[in-house]
Amino acid sequence: VQVGKLGKGASASVFKAVDMFTLKLVAVKVIKMDRDSHAYRLIRHEVTALRSQRAPLLLDTFGDDSSIAPCDYITQFYGCAVDKSSKQASIAMEYECCGSLEEWCRDGLPTPEPWLAHVAYSILQ
């Protein structure tokens, strides 16, 4: 169930929603697909990248092991659904309440050093 709009880009809109099964907040990216197969390729590429986020170095080393837990420091991918009648795809991901990195950088002011330290620390985890 959609709760509100979070943002909009050239080919997609992102909504805050509630997963009715878990009652968790999720972010849903809704991508409009035109007749061009370019949109299908972009969606397939994005979903493939999101699915592969599960500890890729461990998977390369130990093979496809479903017991490997996803990384706590990467936004989780929940799934994708394509509605051919409305010509759109929906990608569900973990909702992050802090906004996007673009929003942090938009004002053109220097980024505070504690923020940079936190981002660097989180990346290195």
Side-chain angles (χ1 to χ4, degrees), residues 17-115:
V18 176
D19 179 342
M20 295 307 294
F21 296 108
T22 64
L23 299 179
K24 283 186 174 182
L25 283 175
V26 296
V28 179
K29 182 177 187 178
V30 179
I31 305 164
K32 294 193 184 259
M33 300 180 294
D34 52 14
R35 296 178 189 204
D36 183 8
S37 63
H38 180 67
Y40 291 102
R41 284 193 306 270
L42 287 175
I43 294 165
R44 186 172 47 240
H45 178 73
E46 184 167 352
V47 169
T48 300
L50 291 168
R51 281 185 177 155
S52 69
Q53 74 181 1
R54 293 189 54 161
L57 294 176
L58 292 175
L59 290 176
D60 287 346
T61 304
F62 300 108
D64 187 14
D65 183 356
S66 60
S67 67
I68 296 174
C71 179
D72 291 335
Y73 301 99
I74 298 175
T75 302
Q76 296 301 302
F77 167 67
Y78 295 137
C80 178
V82 176
D83 183 352
K84 291 183 180 180
S85 63
S86 65
K87 296 183 180 176
Q88 64 183 23
S90 299
I91 299 174
M93 298 184 64
E94 178 181 11
Y95 172 71
E96 297 291 345
C97 63
C98 297
S100 70
L101 184 58
E102 179 185 4
E103 290 172 359
W104 283 24
C105 301
R106 186 177 296 150
D107 59 11
L109 297 174
T111 303
E113 190 173 328
W115 289 9

